[in-house]
Amino acid sequence: MVYEEDGFIQAQTPGSRDVLVFEERAAKAGLPGGIAHFGFRLVEAADIDSALRAVKAAGGEVLSHGEFCPGEPYLFFRDPDGYEVEVWYELPTSVDPPPQA
């Protein structure tokens, strides 16, 4: 586990940059379609600008764009098929693989 607060857990698979977030939402329990969105974690924070340009060029709808905290930019968008997608940069965690040279 990387982060935890009431109703929210962020876990990461050891040796990778994969992130799984579990949020408690009692109103949606037992209903189909329980995935709120999926996302892609960037390796470099500066790549958020390229992602934003690519989303706009592909016809995606930007839902929000900013920083979770200083140095951790994010972008939420809806793709042309209606799926909500997150692209973000997260500072390295203790279970990230070592940087490649």
Side-chain angles (χ1 to χ4, degrees):
M1 181 173 49
V2 177
Y3 180 79
E4 180 179 12
E5 63 181 46
D6 285 345
F8 180 94
I9 295 172
Q10 180 177 321
Q12 193 170 338
T13 54
S16 78
R17 296 178 54 79
D18 298 337
V19 175
L20 301 170
V21 175
F22 301 93
E23 293 183 59
E24 183 178 11
R25 293 188 181 173
K28 296 212 174 215
L31 299 175
I35 301 291
H37 71 275
F38 62 94
F40 300 95
R41 183 178 176 201
L42 297 170
V43 176
E44 300 291 334
D47 290 339
I48 198 75
D49 295 327
S50 295
L52 183 59
R53 286 191 301 274
V55 164
K56 289 178 178 179
E61 173 193 0
V62 175
L63 301 173
S64 63
H65 173 234
E67 286 188 315
F68 289 124
C69 63
E72 293 192 357
Y74 71 86
L75 165 63
F76 282 91
F77 67 93
R78 192 170 319 282
D79 76 4
D81 293 320
Y83 292 101
E84 186 174 330
V85 183
E86 175 183 11
V87 177
W88 86 102
Y89 173 78
E90 182 173 359
L91 295 170
T93 70
S94 61
V95 294
D96 278 346
Q100 296 184 358

